[in-house]
Amino acid sequence: MCPSGQKTITADSAPDFYGIDHYGFPRVGEDDPSDPKGYYPPYLRSERFQKYGYHVEELRDGFYWVTSAGYDAAFVVTGEGVVAIDAPPTLGENMLAAIEEVTDQPVTHVVYSHWHADHIGAASVFGPDVEIVAHRITKELLERFPDPKRPVPTRTFENDYVLDVGGVELHLSYKGENHCPGNIFVYAPRQKVLTAVDILSPGSVTFMHCDASQNISGWYEAHSQILEYDFDFFVGGHHMHYGTREQVELCVEYFADVLEGATAAVERFSGSDVLVGILAGAGQDRVFVGTENWISSMANYTTRHVLEKRTSNGQLWWERLAGATTQTKYHAYTVLESIRLERPRPDYRMRGTNPPPFQT
Ligand SMILES: [Zn+2]
């Protein structure tokens, strides 16, 4: 027990949730019972994948998707060299192995989606002679926080840039901060492949806290910006899946439901009578425990809203996207905070009114 009387859950006291998730839903799926049926692609079980630890697949016309250990990257074979898009450390030299599997051409260009080490932390495998294209902000961040495994970009752009190698085009676009400053969209118009990293992960609800994103309003805006592209394939950087347009739309629908639930939670839990009630039960640490109770109440409300809602085909989210039962509460927390910090406030205190009666 902590001084406020709140029960602290430790590893020893945690209940056994085997066979049922934290919200009382039965776990389902093939390998991991919390994931929907069919989430794990067949290549994961292949002898080849077991042996080499990566998978490479041509999406269309020289555009390849490559994946390993939860991370996705891509490369394009142009006839005058290979353009790599990202180089996650989990792929590392396997990125080179994947390229060598399909072509003898050297890597001449590397595109950085954004500056994060988990997506480009093996870029040095391409050697010192490649042209590295990224947004100006990505270059500034890599100069400010140097990393020899993430060489500084040699070519930058501000809003839009067409990279043409051997007549194969990649349209790079920066639409403002979303997941992080400098995160760009990479569109291959001939192959109709869009790469936008750490926004949506087809097949799943993506990593917790909206993929650890910084600007949640910009990140939500990116969902609409993704759908503005005419793409048949989507590379999102994660979860060892590329996506079809339909799969991307499903992820967008899920996060719209998170925002809907969080907006309703903020409305429901913002009245001073509710706040006073939550604080009154918080014991002597009423300020901090009360705040935690308030945020947790809203996160729980949002999570329940999402997990109980019937989706567009009548199923529940955990039946359609992997990770719904475990990640939704983290997304809820992040989206709730973004509503508080980034979105317009409905009102403000009027002159001469008293603050809520916090008693000391
Ligand atoms: Zn990132």
Side-chain angles (χ1 to χ4, degrees):
M1 292 282 189
C2 67
S4 66
Q6 299 288 301
K7 188 165 189 263
T8 305
I9 295 179
T10 65
D12 290 338
S13 66
D16 178 8
F17 287 118
Y18 184 75
I20 198 160
D21 67 36
H22 297 268
Y23 302 94
F25 292 106
R27 293 187 184 279
V28 291
E30 288 177 0
D31 297 329
D32 178 340
S34 67
D35 294 327
K37 216 169 172 47
Y39 173 62
Y40 293 102
Y43 71 79
L44 286 177
R45 293 198 193 87
S46 72
E47 213 173 290
R48 194 194 167 288
F49 187 84
Q50 298 296 325
K51 185 171 176 188
Y52 297 109
Y54 70 89
H55 176 74
V56 60
E57 191 172 322
E58 185 174 18
L59 297 182
R60 183 178 286 159
D61 198 12
F63 193 108
Y64 291 82
W65 162 70
V66 57
T67 185
S68 176
Y71 280 84
D72 298 6
F75 61 89
V76 196
V77 180
T78 71
E80 288 182 15
V82 174
V83 182
I85 303 172
D86 285 350
T90 53
L91 265 161
E93 289 188 349
N94 279 337
M95 186 92 186
L96 291 177
I99 293 168
E100 286 163 14
E101 233 182 84
V102 302
T103 181
D104 293 334
Q105 293 173 43
V107 175
T108 54
H109 297 74
V110 183
V111 174
Y112 288 171
S113 62
H114 65 304
W115 79 293
H116 285 167
D118 63 327
H119 288 275
I120 62 165
S124 58
V125 297
F126 300 118
D129 300 325
V130 291
E131 188 91 70
I132 300 175
V133 188
H135 191 262
R136 170 187 54 82
I137 294 173
T138 299
K139 182 181 182 188
E140 287 170 6
L141 287 162
L142 290 170
E143 285 172 336
R144 185 176 165 196
F145 306 107
D147 174 0
K149 294 195 174 62
R150 287 178 283 170
V152 171
T154 55
R155 198 186 296 178
T156 62
F157 68 99
E158 199 59 39
N159 297 316
D160 294 288
Y161 180 75
V162 177
L163 176 64
D164 183 329
V165 181
V168 178
E169 290 185 1
L170 289 178
H171 292 198
L172 316 185
S173 179
Y174 185 59
K175 302 175 191 300
E177 181 181 344
N178 46 49
H179 165 66
C180 74
N183 193 29
I184 60 170
F185 296 77
V186 183
Y187 180 58
R190 192 164 92 196
Q191 297 90 346
K192 290 195 177 182
V193 184
L194 177 65
T195 303
V197 172
D198 286 347
I199 310 285
L200 300 167
S201 305
S204 79
V205 301
T206 199
F207 188 66
M208 55 182 58
H209 296 295
C210 302
D211 223 334
S213 294
Q214 291 174 253
N215 185 322
I216 304 304
S217 297
W219 183 83
Y220 264 104
E221 190 181 37
H223 298 182
S224 314
Q225 291 163 338
I226 285 170
L227 293 178
E228 283 167 14
Y229 282 92
D230 178 18
F231 67 88
D232 293 329
F233 304 97
F234 178 81
V235 177
H238 274 293
H239 294 228
M240 306 173 80
H241 280 250
Y242 64 82
T244 61
R245 188 175 184 89
E246 195 183 332
Q247 288 171 321
V248 170
E249 283 170 348
L250 189 61
C251 297
V252 170
E253 182 190 332
Y254 165 81
F255 280 108
D257 281 353
V258 176
L259 180 58
E260 178 186 86
T263 304
V266 169
E267 209 165 286
R268 187 181 172 91
F269 288 88
S270 290
S272 59
D273 51 334
V274 176
L275 286 171
V276 168
I278 288 172
L279 287 166
Q284 62 184 356
D285 291 332
R286 57 171 63 89
V287 173
F288 290 102
V289 174
T291 304
E292 189 200 16
N293 286 349
W294 178 57
I295 297 282
S296 296
S297 300
M298 291 195 291
N300 289 340
Y301 183 91
T302 306
T303 304
R304 184 171 181 168
H305 174 90
V306 174
L307 293 183
E308 290 187 351
K309 183 169 179 176
R310 291 283 160 189
T311 68
S312 52
N313 76 349
Q315 287 182 301
L316 297 163
W317 278 119
W318 58 267
E319 295 175 290
R320 303 189 77 184
L321 292 178
T325 57
T326 57
Q327 307 293 295
T328 298
K329 60 180 176 290
Y330 298 100
H331 295 323
Y333 174 82
T334 297
V335 173
L336 284 162
E337 283 293 71
S338 81
I339 289 174
R340 209 168 63 78
L341 303 180
E342 298 172 2
R343 295 191 181 249
R345 301 291 279 254
D347 53 24
Y348 46 78
R349 190 176 306 288
M350 302 309 290
R351 191 188 302 240
T353 57
N354 289 325
F358 295 137
Q359 283 136 25
T360 54

